[in-house]
């Protein structure tokens, strides 16, 4: 059974940092691209970042570029999103997603339940 469990969210002040973790099980993590999405209150879900299976390619939304970093540790079956210089507009539920192949251009076909990130002054 494929499972993705996000953790690491919480309340942080503007300018602060959080590291989100996505613990994966039920599949070989090293064969699949992984992504992070977020959904803010009253807004549509948006893609935040993606990393290919071998970590040779990463993508970032313009809104987070230069502030967020995605990385993975396949040996630990975990994907991370390091979030620095957080802004109130980053407030959202963050979801980890498994892609259907090794590259980021494919469908996200499994999702975690999300972790809340709140950036507030």
């Amino acid at each position: 059974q494929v499972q993705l469990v996000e953790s690491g969210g919480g309340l942080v002040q503007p300018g602060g940092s959080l590291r989100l973790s996505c613990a994966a099980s039920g599949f070989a993590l090293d064969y699949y691209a992984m992504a992070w999405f977020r959904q803010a209150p009253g807004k549509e879900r948006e893609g935040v970042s993606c990393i290919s299976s071998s970590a040779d390619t990463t993508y970032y939304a313009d809104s987070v570029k230069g502030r967020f970093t995605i990385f993975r540790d396949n040996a630990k079956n975990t994907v991370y999103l390091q979030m620095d210089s957080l802004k109130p507009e980053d407030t959202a539920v963050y979801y980890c997603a498994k892609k259907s192949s090794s590259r980021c251009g494919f469908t996200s076909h499994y999702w975690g339940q999300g972790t809340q990130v709140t950036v507030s002054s």
Side-chain angles (χ1 to χ4, degrees):
Q1 182 182 34
V2 173
Q3 276 198 46
L4 303 172
V5 180
E6 300 95 337
S7 62
L11 175 65
V12 65
Q13 299 298 114
S17 297
L18 285 173
R19 179 176 291 182
L20 305 184
S21 298
C22 173
S25 61
F27 65 98
L29 185 65
D30 57 335
Y31 287 100
Y32 296 95
M34 299 290 291
W36 288 94
F37 293 78
R38 68 185 182 186
Q39 188 164 22
K43 297 183 178 180
E44 295 184 352
R45 184 183 63 195
E46 64 174 337
V48 175
S49 186
C50 185
I51 184 167
S52 64
S53 60
S54 61
D56 60 341
T57 304
T58 58
Y59 295 95
Y60 298 94
D62 288 343
S63 59
V64 307
K65 194 172 298 181
R67 300 187 298 118
F68 290 11
T69 303
I70 188 170
F71 61 102
R72 63 196 297 159
D73 188 338
N74 292 340
K76 295 182 178 180
N77 291 331
T78 304
V79 180
Y80 304 91
L81 184 68
Q82 177 67 41
M83 305 186 297
D84 298 321
S85 301
L86 282 161
K87 304 175 180 179
E89 64 186 8
D90 295 319
T91 296
V93 178
Y94 284 72
Y95 299 91
C96 178
K98 173 187 177 292
K99 295 290 188 177
S100 59
S101 191
S102 63
R103 295 184 291 178
C104 288
F106 292 86
T107 301
S108 300
H109 65 161
Y110 288 97
W111 302 80
Q113 296 192 74
T115 185
Q116 176 71 49
V117 172
T118 302
V119 185
S120 177
S121 60

